[in-house]
Amino acid sequence: MRWGGGEEKWSAAAAVSTADAEKRRPQILNMRRLVNMWAVVMYVGQVLKDVLKLPRPLAPPVVKLEKRVDAEYGLPSTHAMAATALSFTLLLSAQERVQFQLEMGVFLAVLLSALVCLSRLYTGMHSALDVICGAAIAGVITISSYPLWQTLDQLQLHSPISPAVALLLPIFLCYRYPELGHYSTTRGDTTVILGAASGCWVGYWLNEQFGLTFEPSGPLPMPMSPVTINAFVLGVGRFMVGLSVLLCTRQTARWTSFAILCCFYGELQHDAKLKRRKEVEVPYYFSTYLTIGLMNTVLVNRLFVILGLL
């Protein structure tokens, strides 16, 4: 569970020369790009849904296998957008750092995107138009932003105003989210995404300032490491440790933030509709997932080093 940031300088920085570190500094961490693109395409997709207000497929004739998002609009499919953007962001980023067959990478990116798109048709949640438009919009965002990735990464890591932008811009976007005439889960879901991305952004910046970023040693791109039993065990260990910490963080942050908001507004915590009010919903979700993003990028990676899971 590593969204970016770094680990190995805790134990290996002394073995890396300053010149070598500066030479490798411009390389972009794949997971940081994934988080950034995830936040951008999801916000764009969610806003477009509530601006265009095009309905989901009618049931019947469609048999819907999901009920939670019935109140949400359909076009574009944000699942299709996220799958397309993340698949091709990983493909474009990985070729700078890892040696692999480009043809195989393109095939896997197309396959993953297609499977997610087809799953939205199968579950009855989207029409073919929703899915096609979602994938196309994500493609346009990915291709148009690609030349800016390295510049944005440098600003994200090194600019003194980076933490302020990471906090204020997502909060502003959450509060300016389009209003609907009825309650929908889109604003809350969007706040969750922007809160998590904001926490990760601040965590990346903190790691860079304290010299705790991870950069692999040796020339890039590097050969892909073989999958061994030891690597599999370490991967399972990282997953379990990361999942445990983040679940505990989520529960603690949820309870604490909701209790503070209820006290501030003088409301009872058992009011089921309280979390639907914007003045409660936005700070509740944003603060909770901001904390999760911070813990993931800063604390969890430190635990991996301490426990020898790298």
Side-chain angles (χ1 to χ4, degrees):
M1 190 170 291
R2 294 157 61 183
W3 287 22
E7 300 91 359
E8 287 190 353
K9 279 198 176 180
W10 277 52
S11 58
V16 179
S17 67
T18 301
D20 186 54
E22 288 302 317
K23 181 178 66 176
R24 291 184 281 108
R25 185 68 65 183
Q27 296 298 331
I28 309 299
L29 289 175
N30 297 335
M31 294 308 294
R32 182 163 59 243
R33 285 181 173 179
L34 290 176
V35 172
N36 293 341
M37 288 300 298
W38 172 62
V40 170
V41 298
M42 289 300 291
Y43 186 82
V44 171
Q46 295 284 70
V47 168
L48 283 176
K49 280 184 180 181
D50 289 343
V51 170
L52 297 176
K53 298 182 178 180
L54 297 177
R56 292 181 181 272
L58 296 177
V62 170
V63 177
K64 292 186 178 181
L65 302 182
E66 295 181 23
K67 302 295 183 182
R68 175 181 176 271
V69 293
D70 274 351
E72 293 183 13
Y73 293 105
L75 190 150
S77 166
T78 47
H79 281 77
M81 290 183 70
T84 302
L86 295 183
S87 297
F88 285 92
T89 297
L90 181 59
L91 174 66
L92 293 171
S93 300
Q95 62 182 344
E96 299 178 11
R97 304 178 65 85
V98 182
Q99 298 175 13
F100 63 92
Q101 281 188 316
L102 181 60
E103 295 80 3
M104 180 58 69
V106 172
F107 171 76
L108 291 175
V110 172
L111 177 63
L112 178 59
S113 303
L115 288 175
V116 174
C117 292
L118 291 174
S119 75
R120 305 312 290 166
L121 298 176
Y122 174 77
T123 56
M125 300 309 298
H126 287 287
S127 66
L129 180 63
D130 299 343
V131 169
I132 293 171
C133 288
I137 293 170
V140 171
I141 293 174
T142 303
I143 293 172
S144 61
S145 64
Y146 175 63
L148 305 174
W149 286 356
Q150 290 196 9
T151 300
L152 294 175
D153 188 75
Q154 292 300 312
L155 294 174
Q156 188 176 34
L157 294 179
H158 301 292
S159 173
I161 66 171
S162 180
V165 175
L167 294 172
L168 297 178
L169 179 60
I171 291 176
F172 172 78
L173 293 175
C174 290
Y175 276 104
R176 297 298 298 172
Y177 192 84
E179 298 285 349
L180 298 175
H182 62 276
Y183 176 75
S184 170
T185 57
T186 51
R187 184 176 60 204
D189 291 342
T190 306
T191 304
V192 166
I193 294 166
L194 293 186
S198 176
C200 290
W201 183 340
V202 175
Y204 302 146
W205 185 86
L206 288 174
N207 286 336
E208 184 70 21
Q209 305 315 303
F210 289 105
L212 302 175
T213 55
F214 168 75
E215 286 290 348
S217 59
L220 297 173
M222 302 177 64
M224 293 187 67
S225 301
V227 179
T228 62
I229 296 297
N230 183 60
F232 177 77
V233 171
L234 290 176
V236 172
R238 288 194 296 269
F239 175 79
M240 297 305 298
V241 170
L243 182 63
S244 300
V245 171
L246 296 185
L247 284 177
C248 291
T249 300
R250 179 175 178 268
Q251 290 304 112
T252 302
R254 287 179 63 186
W255 184 88
T256 303
S257 60
F258 191 54
I260 292 173
L261 288 167
C262 288
C263 181
F264 181 79
Y265 288 108
E267 300 285 354
L268 299 177
Q269 293 192 35
H270 58 73
D271 185 352
K273 296 184 178 181
L274 184 59
K275 293 179 183 177
R276 295 186 174 188
R277 291 163 45 182
K278 182 167 73 172
E279 64 270 22
V280 174
E281 183 181 47
V282 171
Y284 167 69
Y285 284 118
F286 192 86
S287 61
T288 297
Y289 287 88
L290 170 75
T291 306
I292 291 174
L294 265 174
M295 294 290 285
N296 178 63
T297 50
V298 178
L299 177 63
V300 171
N301 289 327
R302 305 289 80 77
L303 286 177
F304 291 164
V305 175
I306 295 171
L307 298 176
L309 294 174
L310 294 176

